[in-house]
Each structure stands twice: as structure tokens, then as C-alpha cells.
Amino acid sequence: MHNIIQELRGNVRVFARIRPFLPDDGEQGNDSETALVSHDGDAKVSVVNPNNPSQRHKFAFDRVFAPSAGQEAVFEEVSEFVRSALDGYNVCLFSYGQTGSGKTHTMQGAGTGVMRGLIPRCLEQIGLHKIAEEKDGWEFSMEVSFLEIYNETLKDLLRINLSQECKHEIKVGPDGRRTVTDLTVKVIDPNDRAAVDAIMALATKRRATGSTDMNATSSRSHSVFTLNITAMHVERNQLVRGTLNLVDLAG
């Protein structure tokens, strides 16, 4: 029933998140925000042409997050997709926008508190689901990979030795599933917070960044976090496989 509802709501949805002005932006905060960008309810954004204030463009989305909306609000909106991955569906979430708009902040976040991004929050939700379903006889195995696409080249963000750079290719197996050759895949327990933090820290350290006028450490590559979930119930002779892809596109 959950996944029937998701299909009725739309298998493809587009959300917009309005980035708040920060102290380093050199703007007047709410005054500039009100003058240029505003949101009408939860589904519409209005943008004023700064060179022609009388010209206003309106855009409609499935959901709009105001500048005051925190990481938790964004996660609550997409958490239902995580449940679909646990039910055996292939799920992909993209974070898209201009340089400095907050894509990496939304996907990865920072720290262990309210600033956590979608990736650690999704893993936390999956970990809680795993504990609950194991009581009903389900057995889980989960594998994670983290790659980036930089200048049309695939790079493994979790490789152990930086000097062992491999040429990665996308292959399609006999079962129709796509894989990347020679990519580091780590078995992970989503409830192991230390292991999750170590993977995130390593990927962040390896990812290509550069300085721009909007961001001192702007991500210059696409990153793809992939979690493959396999759940088996021996007594019921059931096997469920799902994939969760969390993608942070370059600016």
C-alpha cells in the first residue's frame, strides 16, 4: 500500500529549497530575500529579475522549503522514498543547483546534530527499520560504495590506497543490474555510527573541491553514494533487494 501511494503521488518529484543568506554573503538578509525570492505556500517560488524589478518569474514544484526549513524538514519529505528502497525498489535522490546553493550541505550536512544531511539520516532510518524487522525473522546485508565523476572520469572515493588509481567502467550484468568495475564496496551496519562517520569523512576528504566566489570549498564533481540492501526471510522463502542512490551533483 505504501508504494502504491508513492506511485499515485508521482514516481518523479521535484522539490525546491531556498537557501538562506549567510553572514559571508554580504547581503542584507531578509530584505534582499524578500526583494528577490519568495515562496507562495508550499509549492510555488517567485523570483524577481534584479535588473527589472517589475519582472517576476513564477515556478511550481511538488514542495518548496523556505529558508527557515531545517535539515529535518527536508528529510521528512524524502524519508518515504527510503522506505521504498527497503521494500525492494530502486530509489535515486538528486541534489541539483548552482555553486554555493547548499547541495552538499543538504546531502551530507555536518556534525552529528541538527545539521546532519540526508545521507546519515537515511542510514539512521534504515538502521531502525533493520532492528525492527530482524525481530520478525528477516536477515539483512548492506553494502555501500561512494564514487565521484570528475571531468568525465569515475573515481573511487573509498579506495584504500590513493596511488592505486583504477580505470572504472559501468557494466550491465546478466541480471540487468548496473555495476562499476573495481569499485570499493564496504559491508556496513547502518547502526554502527562510527563506521558511517568514517565513510563520510573519507569520501569528503577525497572529493575534488575548488574555491569560488560563492564557496571556499565548492564541490567540483558529481558524487554518488549507493547503498545496496538485501533482506532475506528463510522461513517464508522471501528475498528482497533494493538500492538507494544519493547523488550530489556538481554546481
Side-chain angles (χ1 to χ4, degrees), residues 106-172:
T106 297
M107 298 304 289
Q108 296 184 206
T112 59
V114 296
M115 289 300 179
R116 288 179 301 147
L118 291 186
I119 294 178
R121 289 176 185 271
C122 287
L123 288 173
E124 181 181 32
Q125 177 183 344
I126 291 170
L128 294 174
H129 177 87
K130 175 177 177 289
I131 293 173
E133 293 300 312
E134 284 176 338
K135 297 178 182 178
D136 193 35
W138 286 92
E139 300 176 4
F140 287 84
S141 63
M142 302 184 188
E143 296 178 335
V144 64
S145 63
F146 215 147
L147 63 84
E148 74 171 349
I149 306 173
Y150 182 63
N151 288 339
E152 306 301 323
T153 301
L154 298 173
K155 294 181 178 292
D156 184 359
L157 293 177
L158 299 182
R159 63 189 185 277
I160 298 175
N161 193 337
L162 283 174
S163 63
Q164 295 178 346
E165 186 68 42
C166 299
K167 182 179 180 180
H168 305 284
E169 297 180 328
I170 300 174
K171 297 290 186 180
V172 181

Short mmCIF file of all heavy atoms in Angstrom, two decimals, residues 106-172:
data_model
loop_
_atom_site.label_atom_id
_atom_site.label_comp_id
_atom_site.label_asym_id
_atom_site.label_seq_id
_atom_site.Cartn_x
_atom_site.Cartn_y
_atom_site.Cartn_z
N THR A 106 22.90 19.84 2.04
CA THR A 106 21.65 19.09 2.11
C THR A 106 21.92 17.59 2.13
O THR A 106 21.30 16.85 2.89
CB THR A 106 20.75 19.44 0.92
OG1 THR A 106 20.39 20.83 0.99
CG2 THR A 106 19.48 18.61 0.92
N MET A 107 22.84 17.11 1.30
CA MET A 107 23.07 15.68 1.18
C MET A 107 23.92 15.12 2.32
O MET A 107 23.63 14.05 2.86
CB MET A 107 23.75 15.36 -0.15
CG MET A 107 22.91 15.74 -1.36
SD MET A 107 21.27 14.98 -1.39
CE MET A 107 21.68 13.29 -1.73
N GLN A 108 24.99 15.81 2.70
CA GLN A 108 25.92 15.29 3.70
C GLN A 108 25.79 15.99 5.05
O GLN A 108 25.93 15.35 6.09
CB GLN A 108 27.36 15.39 3.19
CG GLN A 108 27.62 14.52 1.97
CD GLN A 108 29.07 14.55 1.53
OE1 GLN A 108 29.38 14.34 0.37
NE2 GLN A 108 29.97 14.81 2.44
N GLY A 109 25.56 17.29 5.01
CA GLY A 109 25.43 18.03 6.25
C GLY A 109 26.75 18.11 7.00
O GLY A 109 27.83 17.94 6.44
N ALA A 110 26.63 18.33 8.30
CA ALA A 110 27.82 18.45 9.15
C ALA A 110 27.49 18.02 10.56
O ALA A 110 26.38 18.23 11.05
CB ALA A 110 28.34 19.89 9.13
N GLY A 111 28.49 17.42 11.22
CA GLY A 111 28.34 17.06 12.62
C GLY A 111 27.37 15.91 12.84
O GLY A 111 27.02 15.16 11.92
N THR A 112 26.90 15.78 14.08
CA THR A 112 26.01 14.69 14.47
C THR A 112 24.67 15.19 14.99
O THR A 112 23.86 14.40 15.46
CB THR A 112 26.67 13.81 15.55
OG1 THR A 112 26.97 14.64 16.69
CG2 THR A 112 27.95 13.19 15.03
N GLY A 113 24.45 16.50 14.91
CA GLY A 113 23.22 17.07 15.44
C GLY A 113 22.22 17.43 14.36
O GLY A 113 22.02 16.70 13.40
N VAL A 114 21.60 18.60 14.53
CA VAL A 114 20.53 19.02 13.62
C VAL A 114 21.04 19.31 12.22
O VAL A 114 20.24 19.38 11.27
CB VAL A 114 19.80 20.26 14.18
CG1 VAL A 114 19.10 19.92 15.48
CG2 VAL A 114 20.78 21.43 14.37
N MET A 115 22.34 19.50 12.04
CA MET A 115 22.89 19.82 10.73
C MET A 115 23.21 18.58 9.89
O MET A 115 23.73 18.70 8.79
CB MET A 115 24.16 20.67 10.88
CG MET A 115 23.89 22.09 11.36
SD MET A 115 22.82 22.99 10.22
CE MET A 115 22.68 24.57 11.06
N ARG A 116 22.91 17.40 10.39
CA ARG A 116 23.15 16.19 9.60
C ARG A 116 22.35 16.23 8.31
O ARG A 116 21.22 16.71 8.28
CB ARG A 116 22.76 14.95 10.39
CG ARG A 116 23.69 14.60 11.54
CD ARG A 116 23.19 13.37 12.25
NE ARG A 116 21.84 13.60 12.76
CZ ARG A 116 20.90 12.67 12.86
NH1 ARG A 116 21.15 11.44 12.44
NH2 ARG A 116 19.71 12.96 13.33
N GLY A 117 22.96 15.71 7.24
CA GLY A 117 22.31 15.73 5.94
C GLY A 117 21.50 14.48 5.67
O GLY A 117 21.27 13.64 6.54
N LEU A 118 21.05 14.35 4.41
CA LEU A 118 20.19 13.24 4.04
C LEU A 118 20.88 11.89 4.16
O LEU A 118 20.26 10.91 4.58
CB LEU A 118 19.69 13.43 2.60
CG LEU A 118 18.71 14.57 2.35
CD1 LEU A 118 18.22 14.53 0.91
CD2 LEU A 118 17.54 14.50 3.31
N ILE A 119 22.16 11.81 3.80
CA ILE A 119 22.83 10.50 3.81
C ILE A 119 22.87 9.91 5.22
O ILE A 119 22.40 8.78 5.43
CB ILE A 119 24.25 10.61 3.20
CG1 ILE A 119 24.16 10.97 1.71
CG2 ILE A 119 25.01 9.29 3.38
CD1 ILE A 119 25.50 11.16 1.03
N PRO A 120 23.40 10.60 6.22
CA PRO A 120 23.40 9.99 7.56
C PRO A 120 22.00 9.78 8.12
O PRO A 120 21.76 8.82 8.86
CB PRO A 120 24.21 10.98 8.41
CG PRO A 120 24.18 12.26 7.66
CD PRO A 120 24.13 11.90 6.22
N ARG A 121 21.06 10.65 7.79
CA ARG A 121 19.70 10.48 8.29
C ARG A 121 19.03 9.27 7.65
O ARG A 121 18.27 8.54 8.32
CB ARG A 121 18.88 11.75 8.03
CG ARG A 121 19.28 12.94 8.90
CD ARG A 121 18.49 14.19 8.53
NE ARG A 121 18.95 15.34 9.29
CZ ARG A 121 18.47 15.71 10.46
NH1 ARG A 121 17.52 14.99 11.03
NH2 ARG A 121 18.93 16.79 11.08
N CYS A 122 19.27 9.05 6.36
CA CYS A 122 18.71 7.88 5.68
C CYS A 122 19.27 6.59 6.29
O CYS A 122 18.52 5.62 6.51
CB CYS A 122 19.02 7.93 4.19
SG CYS A 122 18.07 9.15 3.27
N LEU A 123 20.56 6.59 6.56
CA LEU A 123 21.16 5.40 7.17
C LEU A 123 20.61 5.15 8.56
O LEU A 123 20.40 3.99 8.96
CB LEU A 123 22.69 5.57 7.21
CG LEU A 123 23.41 5.48 5.86
CD1 LEU A 123 24.87 5.83 6.01
CD2 LEU A 123 23.26 4.07 5.28
N GLU A 124 20.35 6.21 9.29
CA GLU A 124 19.76 6.05 10.62
C GLU A 124 18.37 5.43 10.52
O GLU A 124 18.02 4.52 11.29
CB GLU A 124 19.69 7.39 11.33
CG GLU A 124 19.11 7.30 12.73
CD GLU A 124 19.02 8.66 13.41
OE1 GLU A 124 18.80 9.67 12.71
OE2 GLU A 124 19.16 8.71 14.64
N GLN A 125 17.56 5.90 9.57
CA GLN A 125 16.22 5.35 9.40
C GLN A 125 16.29 3.87 9.00
O GLN A 125 15.53 3.04 9.51
CB GLN A 125 15.47 6.13 8.32
CG GLN A 125 14.08 5.56 8.04
CD GLN A 125 13.37 6.29 6.92
OE1 GLN A 125 13.74 7.39 6.53
NE2 GLN A 125 12.33 5.68 6.36
N ILE A 126 17.21 3.54 8.10
CA ILE A 126 17.37 2.15 7.67
C ILE A 126 17.81 1.28 8.84
O ILE A 126 17.37 0.13 8.99
CB ILE A 126 18.37 2.08 6.51
CG1 ILE A 126 17.75 2.73 5.27
CG2 ILE A 126 18.78 0.65 6.21
CD1 ILE A 126 18.73 2.94 4.13
N GLY A 127 18.68 1.81 9.69
CA GLY A 127 19.14 1.06 10.85
C GLY A 127 18.01 0.73 11.81
O GLY A 127 17.92 -0.39 12.33
N LEU A 128 17.11 1.68 12.04
CA LEU A 128 15.97 1.44 12.92
C LEU A 128 15.03 0.41 12.31
O LEU A 128 14.49 -0.45 13.01
CB LEU A 128 15.22 2.76 13.17
CG LEU A 128 15.99 3.83 13.96
CD1 LEU A 128 15.19 5.12 14.02
CD2 LEU A 128 16.31 3.33 15.37
N HIS A 129 14.84 0.50 10.99
CA HIS A 129 13.99 -0.48 10.31
C HIS A 129 14.60 -1.88 10.40
O HIS A 129 13.89 -2.87 10.62
CB HIS A 129 13.83 -0.07 8.84
CG HIS A 129 13.03 -1.04 8.02
ND1 HIS A 129 11.65 -0.99 7.94
CD2 HIS A 129 13.42 -2.10 7.26
CE1 HIS A 129 11.23 -1.97 7.16
NE2 HIS A 129 12.27 -2.64 6.72
N LYS A 130 15.90 -1.95 10.26
CA LYS A 130 16.61 -3.23 10.33
C LYS A 130 16.40 -3.89 11.70
O LYS A 130 16.11 -5.10 11.78
CB LYS A 130 18.10 -3.01 10.06
CG LYS A 130 18.99 -4.23 10.23
CD LYS A 130 20.42 -3.87 9.86
CE LYS A 130 21.37 -5.04 10.08
NZ LYS A 130 21.60 -5.30 11.51
N ILE A 131 16.53 -3.13 12.75
CA ILE A 131 16.34 -3.68 14.10
C ILE A 131 14.93 -4.22 14.27
O ILE A 131 14.72 -5.32 14.81
CB ILE A 131 16.64 -2.60 15.16
CG1 ILE A 131 18.13 -2.23 15.14
CG2 ILE A 131 16.23 -3.07 16.55
CD1 ILE A 131 18.48 -1.06 16.04
N ALA A 132 13.95 -3.47 13.78
CA ALA A 132 12.55 -3.89 13.94
C ALA A 132 12.25 -5.15 13.14
O ALA A 132 11.57 -6.06 13.63
CB ALA A 132 11.62 -2.75 13.51
N GLU A 133 12.76 -5.23 11.91
CA GLU A 133 12.43 -6.37 11.05
C GLU A 133 13.19 -7.63 11.44
O GLU A 133 12.73 -8.75 11.18
CB GLU A 133 12.73 -6.01 9.59
CG GLU A 133 11.82 -4.92 9.02
CD GLU A 133 10.35 -5.32 9.06
OE1 GLU A 133 10.04 -6.45 8.62
OE2 GLU A 133 9.53 -4.53 9.54
N GLU A 134 14.37 -7.46 12.04
CA GLU A 134 15.12 -8.64 12.49
C GLU A 134 14.35 -9.41 13.57
O GLU A 134 14.49 -10.63 13.68
CB GLU A 134 16.50 -8.21 13.00
CG GLU A 134 17.48 -7.87 11.89
CD GLU A 134 18.81 -7.36 12.41
OE1 GLU A 134 18.84 -6.87 13.57
OE2 GLU A 134 19.79 -7.41 11.66
N LYS A 135 13.52 -8.73 14.33
CA LYS A 135 12.71 -9.39 15.34
C LYS A 135 11.65 -10.30 14.71
O LYS A 135 11.14 -11.21 15.35
CB LYS A 135 12.04 -8.35 16.24
CG LYS A 135 13.01 -7.50 17.04
CD LYS A 135 12.28 -6.46 17.86
CE LYS A 135 13.26 -5.58 18.64
NZ LYS A 135 12.57 -4.52 19.42
N ASP A 136 11.35 -10.02 13.42
CA ASP A 136 10.34 -10.80 12.71
C ASP A 136 10.98 -11.88 11.83
O ASP A 136 10.30 -12.51 11.02
CB ASP A 136 9.49 -9.87 11.84
CG ASP A 136 8.24 -10.54 11.30
OD1 ASP A 136 7.67 -11.38 12.03
OD2 ASP A 136 7.86 -10.25 10.15
N GLY A 137 12.30 -12.07 11.99
CA GLY A 137 12.97 -13.15 11.27
C GLY A 137 13.70 -12.75 10.01
O GLY A 137 14.27 -13.61 9.32
N TRP A 138 13.73 -11.47 9.68
CA TRP A 138 14.45 -11.02 8.49
C TRP A 138 15.94 -10.89 8.79
O TRP A 138 16.33 -10.50 9.88
CB TRP A 138 13.92 -9.67 8.01
CG TRP A 138 12.59 -9.76 7.35
CD1 TRP A 138 11.36 -9.62 7.94
CD2 TRP A 138 12.34 -10.01 5.96
NE1 TRP A 138 10.37 -9.77 7.02
CE2 TRP A 138 10.92 -10.01 5.79
CE3 TRP A 138 13.15 -10.24 4.86
CZ2 TRP A 138 10.32 -10.23 4.55
CZ3 TRP A 138 12.55 -10.45 3.62
CH2 TRP A 138 11.16 -10.45 3.48
N GLU A 139 16.76 -11.23 7.78
CA GLU A 139 18.21 -11.08 7.86
C GLU A 139 18.66 -10.09 6.80
O GLU A 139 18.27 -10.21 5.64
CB GLU A 139 18.90 -12.43 7.66
CG GLU A 139 18.52 -13.48 8.70
CD GLU A 139 19.15 -14.83 8.40
OE1 GLU A 139 19.94 -14.91 7.43
OE2 GLU A 139 18.83 -15.80 9.12
N PHE A 140 19.48 -9.13 7.20
CA PHE A 140 19.89 -8.06 6.30
C PHE A 140 21.38 -8.12 6.01
O PHE A 140 22.19 -8.47 6.87
CB PHE A 140 19.57 -6.68 6.92
CG PHE A 140 18.12 -6.32 6.92
CD1 PHE A 140 17.29 -6.76 7.94
CD2 PHE A 140 17.58 -5.55 5.91
CE1 PHE A 140 15.95 -6.44 7.96
CE2 PHE A 140 16.23 -5.21 5.91
CZ PHE A 140 15.41 -5.66 6.93
N SER A 141 21.72 -7.75 4.78
CA SER A 141 23.11 -7.48 4.42
C SER A 141 23.11 -6.20 3.59
O SER A 141 22.26 -6.02 2.69
CB SER A 141 23.72 -8.63 3.63
OG SER A 141 23.06 -8.81 2.40
N MET A 142 24.03 -5.30 3.90
CA MET A 142 24.07 -4.00 3.23
C MET A 142 25.50 -3.66 2.82
O MET A 142 26.44 -3.87 3.59
CB MET A 142 23.51 -2.91 4.14
CG MET A 142 22.08 -3.17 4.59
SD MET A 142 21.39 -1.83 5.56
CE MET A 142 19.84 -2.58 6.10
N GLU A 143 25.61 -3.14 1.62
CA GLU A 143 26.91 -2.75 1.08
C GLU A 143 26.83 -1.32 0.56
O GLU A 143 25.81 -0.91 -0.01
CB GLU A 143 27.32 -3.67 -0.07
CG GLU A 143 27.53 -5.12 0.34
CD GLU A 143 27.91 -6.00 -0.84
OE1 GLU A 143 27.54 -5.64 -2.00
OE2 GLU A 143 28.55 -7.04 -0.62
N VAL A 144 27.91 -0.59 0.78
CA VAL A 144 27.93 0.81 0.38
C VAL A 144 29.14 1.10 -0.50
O VAL A 144 30.22 0.51 -0.33
CB VAL A 144 27.95 1.73 1.63
CG1 VAL A 144 29.24 1.54 2.43
CG2 VAL A 144 27.80 3.18 1.24
N SER A 145 28.93 1.97 -1.48
CA SER A 145 30.03 2.47 -2.31
C SER A 145 29.84 3.98 -2.45
O SER A 145 28.74 4.50 -2.26
CB SER A 145 30.04 1.80 -3.68
OG SER A 145 28.86 2.11 -4.41
N PHE A 146 30.94 4.66 -2.77
CA PHE A 146 30.90 6.12 -2.87
C PHE A 146 31.86 6.51 -3.99
O PHE A 146 33.07 6.29 -3.90
CB PHE A 146 31.35 6.75 -1.55
CG PHE A 146 30.63 8.02 -1.19
CD1 PHE A 146 30.37 8.34 0.13
CD2 PHE A 146 30.22 8.91 -2.17
CE1 PHE A 146 29.71 9.50 0.49
CE2 PHE A 146 29.56 10.08 -1.84
CZ PHE A 146 29.30 10.38 -0.49
N LEU A 147 31.34 7.05 -5.07
CA LEU A 147 32.21 7.44 -6.19
C LEU A 147 31.93 8.87 -6.60
O LEU A 147 30.91 9.46 -6.23
CB LEU A 147 32.03 6.49 -7.38
CG LEU A 147 30.67 6.42 -8.08
CD1 LEU A 147 30.49 7.52 -9.14
CD2 LEU A 147 30.48 5.07 -8.76
N GLU A 148 32.85 9.42 -7.36
CA GLU A 148 32.64 10.74 -7.94
C GLU A 148 32.91 10.70 -9.43
O GLU A 148 33.67 9.84 -9.91
CB GLU A 148 33.52 11.80 -7.26
CG GLU A 148 34.99 11.75 -7.64
CD GLU A 148 35.78 12.96 -7.13
OE1 GLU A 148 35.16 13.93 -6.67
OE2 GLU A 148 37.01 12.91 -7.19
N ILE A 149 32.27 11.60 -10.14
CA ILE A 149 32.52 11.75 -11.58
C ILE A 149 33.12 13.14 -11.76
O ILE A 149 32.45 14.14 -11.55
CB ILE A 149 31.22 11.60 -12.38
CG1 ILE A 149 30.53 10.28 -12.05
CG2 ILE A 149 31.50 11.69 -13.88
CD1 ILE A 149 29.16 10.13 -12.67
N TYR A 150 34.39 13.15 -12.12
CA TYR A 150 35.14 14.41 -12.24
C TYR A 150 35.78 14.46 -13.62
O TYR A 150 36.56 13.58 -13.98
CB TYR A 150 36.19 14.50 -11.13
CG TYR A 150 36.98 15.79 -11.13
CD1 TYR A 150 36.33 17.00 -10.90
CD2 TYR A 150 38.35 15.81 -11.33
CE1 TYR A 150 37.04 18.19 -10.88
CE2 TYR A 150 39.07 16.98 -11.31
CZ TYR A 150 38.41 18.18 -11.08
OH TYR A 150 39.12 19.35 -11.07
N ASN A 151 35.43 15.48 -14.39
CA ASN A 151 35.94 15.60 -15.76
C ASN A 151 35.68 14.32 -16.56
O ASN A 151 36.56 13.80 -17.24
CB ASN A 151 37.44 15.92 -15.76
CG ASN A 151 37.72 17.34 -15.32
OD1 ASN A 151 36.84 18.20 -15.39
ND2 ASN A 151 38.94 17.59 -14.86
N GLU A 152 34.45 13.82 -16.44
CA GLU A 152 34.00 12.62 -17.17
C GLU A 152 34.75 11.35 -16.76
O GLU A 152 34.69 10.34 -17.46
CB GLU A 152 34.14 12.83 -18.70
CG GLU A 152 33.45 14.07 -19.22
CD GLU A 152 31.95 14.07 -18.91
OE1 GLU A 152 31.35 12.99 -18.97
OE2 GLU A 152 31.41 15.14 -18.60
N THR A 153 35.45 11.38 -15.64
CA THR A 153 36.19 10.21 -15.17
C THR A 153 35.61 9.73 -13.85
O THR A 153 35.35 10.53 -12.95
CB THR A 153 37.68 10.55 -14.98
OG1 THR A 153 38.23 11.00 -16.23
CG2 THR A 153 38.46 9.34 -14.50
N LEU A 154 35.42 8.43 -13.71
CA LEU A 154 34.92 7.83 -12.47
C LEU A 154 36.06 7.65 -11.49
O LEU A 154 37.11 7.11 -11.84
CB LEU A 154 34.27 6.48 -12.76
CG LEU A 154 33.04 6.48 -13.67
CD1 LEU A 154 32.63 5.05 -13.99
CD2 LEU A 154 31.90 7.23 -13.03
N LYS A 155 35.86 8.09 -10.25
CA LYS A 155 36.87 7.96 -9.21
C LYS A 155 36.24 7.32 -7.97
O LYS A 155 35.13 7.67 -7.58
CB LYS A 155 37.48 9.32 -8.87
CG LYS A 155 38.28 9.95 -10.00
CD LYS A 155 38.87 11.28 -9.57
CE LYS A 155 39.71 11.92 -10.67
NZ LYS A 155 40.92 11.15 -10.94
N ASP A 156 36.98 6.41 -7.37
CA ASP A 156 36.52 5.69 -6.19
C ASP A 156 36.90 6.49 -4.95
O ASP A 156 38.08 6.63 -4.62
CB ASP A 156 37.16 4.29 -6.16
CG ASP A 156 36.67 3.44 -4.99
OD1 ASP A 156 35.85 3.94 -4.20
OD2 ASP A 156 37.12 2.29 -4.88
N LEU A 157 35.92 7.01 -4.22
CA LEU A 157 36.19 7.83 -3.04
C LEU A 157 36.55 7.00 -1.81
O LEU A 157 37.03 7.55 -0.82
CB LEU A 157 34.98 8.71 -2.73
CG LEU A 157 34.66 9.80 -3.75
CD1 LEU A 157 33.40 10.55 -3.35
CD2 LEU A 157 35.82 10.78 -3.90
N LEU A 158 36.32 5.69 -1.86
CA LEU A 158 36.60 4.85 -0.70
C LEU A 158 37.82 3.96 -0.89
O LEU A 158 38.07 3.06 -0.07
CB LEU A 158 35.37 3.97 -0.37
CG LEU A 158 34.08 4.72 -0.02
CD1 LEU A 158 32.98 3.74 0.31
CD2 LEU A 158 34.30 5.69 1.12
N ARG A 159 38.59 4.17 -1.95
CA ARG A 159 39.77 3.33 -2.19
C ARG A 159 40.76 3.51 -1.05
O ARG A 159 40.93 4.60 -0.49
CB ARG A 159 40.41 3.66 -3.53
CG ARG A 159 40.96 5.07 -3.66
CD ARG A 159 41.37 5.37 -5.11
NE ARG A 159 42.00 6.67 -5.26
CZ ARG A 159 41.34 7.82 -5.39
NH1 ARG A 159 40.02 7.82 -5.34
NH2 ARG A 159 42.00 8.95 -5.55
N ILE A 160 41.43 2.43 -0.70
CA ILE A 160 42.34 2.44 0.44
C ILE A 160 43.62 3.20 0.11
O ILE A 160 44.09 4.03 0.88
CB ILE A 160 42.67 1.00 0.87
CG1 ILE A 160 41.38 0.30 1.32
CG2 ILE A 160 43.69 0.99 2.00
CD1 ILE A 160 41.57 -1.17 1.66
N ASN A 161 44.19 2.89 -1.05
CA ASN A 161 45.47 3.47 -1.43
C ASN A 161 45.25 4.48 -2.55
O ASN A 161 44.76 4.14 -3.63
CB ASN A 161 46.44 2.37 -1.90
CG ASN A 161 47.87 2.87 -2.00
OD1 ASN A 161 48.10 4.06 -2.14
ND2 ASN A 161 48.82 1.95 -1.92
N LEU A 162 45.60 5.73 -2.31
CA LEU A 162 45.40 6.76 -3.31
C LEU A 162 46.21 6.51 -4.58
O LEU A 162 45.82 6.90 -5.67
CB LEU A 162 45.79 8.13 -2.73
CG LEU A 162 44.77 8.78 -1.79
CD1 LEU A 162 45.35 10.05 -1.20
CD2 LEU A 162 43.48 9.08 -2.52
N SER A 163 47.36 5.84 -4.43
CA SER A 163 48.22 5.59 -5.59
C SER A 163 47.66 4.50 -6.50
O SER A 163 48.05 4.38 -7.65
CB SER A 163 49.63 5.21 -5.14
OG SER A 163 49.61 4.00 -4.40
N GLN A 164 46.73 3.68 -5.98
CA GLN A 164 46.17 2.60 -6.77
C GLN A 164 44.92 3.08 -7.50
O GLN A 164 43.80 2.66 -7.24
CB GLN A 164 45.84 1.40 -5.88
CG GLN A 164 47.06 0.75 -5.25
CD GLN A 164 46.69 -0.40 -4.33
OE1 GLN A 164 45.54 -0.55 -3.96
NE2 GLN A 164 47.67 -1.21 -3.97
N GLU A 165 45.12 3.99 -8.41
CA GLU A 165 44.01 4.55 -9.19
C GLU A 165 43.65 3.59 -10.31
O GLU A 165 44.50 3.20 -11.12
CB GLU A 165 44.41 5.91 -9.78
CG GLU A 165 43.28 6.62 -10.49
CD GLU A 165 42.19 7.06 -9.54
OE1 GLU A 165 42.51 7.54 -8.45
OE2 GLU A 165 41.02 6.89 -9.90
N CYS A 166 42.40 3.16 -10.37
CA CYS A 166 41.94 2.22 -11.39
C CYS A 166 41.05 2.93 -12.40
O CYS A 166 40.46 3.97 -12.11
CB CYS A 166 41.15 1.07 -10.74
SG CYS A 166 42.08 0.08 -9.57
N LYS A 167 40.96 2.35 -13.56
CA LYS A 167 40.03 2.85 -14.57
C LYS A 167 38.71 2.13 -14.38
O LYS A 167 38.61 0.92 -14.56
CB LYS A 167 40.57 2.61 -15.98
CG LYS A 167 39.65 3.16 -17.07
CD LYS A 167 40.22 2.94 -18.45
CE LYS A 167 39.28 3.51 -19.50
NZ LYS A 167 39.79 3.30 -20.89
N HIS A 168 37.70 2.86 -14.00
CA HIS A 168 36.40 2.27 -13.70
C HIS A 168 35.47 2.40 -14.90
O HIS A 168 35.46 3.42 -15.59
CB HIS A 168 35.78 2.95 -12.47
CG HIS A 168 36.66 2.94 -11.27
ND1 HIS A 168 36.85 1.82 -10.49
CD2 HIS A 168 37.39 3.92 -10.70
CE1 HIS A 168 37.67 2.10 -9.50
NE2 HIS A 168 38.01 3.38 -9.60
N GLU A 169 34.68 1.36 -15.12
CA GLU A 169 33.71 1.35 -16.21
C GLU A 169 32.35 0.89 -15.68
O GLU A 169 32.28 0.12 -14.72
CB GLU A 169 34.16 0.44 -17.34
CG GLU A 169 35.47 0.86 -18.01
CD GLU A 169 35.88 -0.09 -19.11
OE1 GLU A 169 35.58 -1.30 -18.98
OE2 GLU A 169 36.48 0.38 -20.09
N ILE A 170 31.31 1.36 -16.33
CA ILE A 170 29.96 0.95 -15.96
C ILE A 170 29.58 -0.27 -16.79
O ILE A 170 29.63 -0.25 -18.02
CB ILE A 170 28.96 2.09 -16.20
CG1 ILE A 170 29.35 3.32 -15.37
CG2 ILE A 170 27.53 1.65 -15.86
CD1 ILE A 170 28.51 4.54 -15.66
N LYS A 171 29.23 -1.36 -16.12
CA LYS A 171 28.89 -2.61 -16.79
C LYS A 171 27.47 -3.03 -16.40
O LYS A 171 26.99 -2.72 -15.31
CB LYS A 171 29.87 -3.73 -16.39
CG LYS A 171 31.32 -3.47 -16.79
CD LYS A 171 31.51 -3.55 -18.29
CE LYS A 171 32.99 -3.43 -18.66
NZ LYS A 171 33.19 -3.51 -20.12
N VAL A 172 26.82 -3.75 -17.30
CA VAL A 172 25.49 -4.29 -17.04
C VAL A 172 25.60 -5.80 -16.93
O VAL A 172 26.06 -6.47 -17.86
CB VAL A 172 24.50 -3.91 -18.16
CG1 VAL A 172 23.10 -4.46 -17.84
CG2 VAL A 172 24.43 -2.40 -18.33
#
